[in-house]
Amino acid sequence: FIRVDNVSLAYSVPQTWLSKYKVQALRLYVNVRNAALWAPDWEFWDPEWHPDQSPGPTPRFFNFGLDLTL
């Protein structure tokens, strides 16, 4: 199986766009945990599932945010 566990993407807004608003820095970002799973021959929820856990799909988490410096 192949798992894409964590994916992060960020964008820093150019200073030339921010100067007229008197903002020093602005960064936008998104993080995804458990982004994707590919297991063509596996018929259950998660190939890394352990019997001590309750069976089910692995949750996917999204975080969005911004860092602003005035």
Side-chain angles (χ1 to χ4, degrees):
F1 72 93
I2 297 173
R3 178 187 307 275
V4 178
D5 194 28
N6 293 310
V7 176
S8 298
L9 179 65
Y11 177 72
S12 295
V13 178
Q15 182 63 35
T16 55
W17 295 1
L18 300 174
S19 60
K20 63 182 169 182
Y21 301 109
K22 298 185 181 179
V23 173
Q24 290 182 6
L26 176 62
R27 186 173 76 93
L28 309 168
Y29 64 88
V30 61
N31 298 320
V32 182
R33 186 172 169 218
N34 295 324
L37 174 67
W38 180 75
D41 297 329
W42 188 256
E43 297 178 8
F44 301 102
W45 292 107
D46 188 346
E48 292 184 328
W49 176 76
H50 190 273
D52 293 341
Q53 302 170 348
S54 49
T58 304
R60 184 173 296 139
F61 298 97
F62 294 90
N63 292 317
F64 301 94
L66 61 91
D67 294 327
L68 177 66
T69 303
L70 299 176

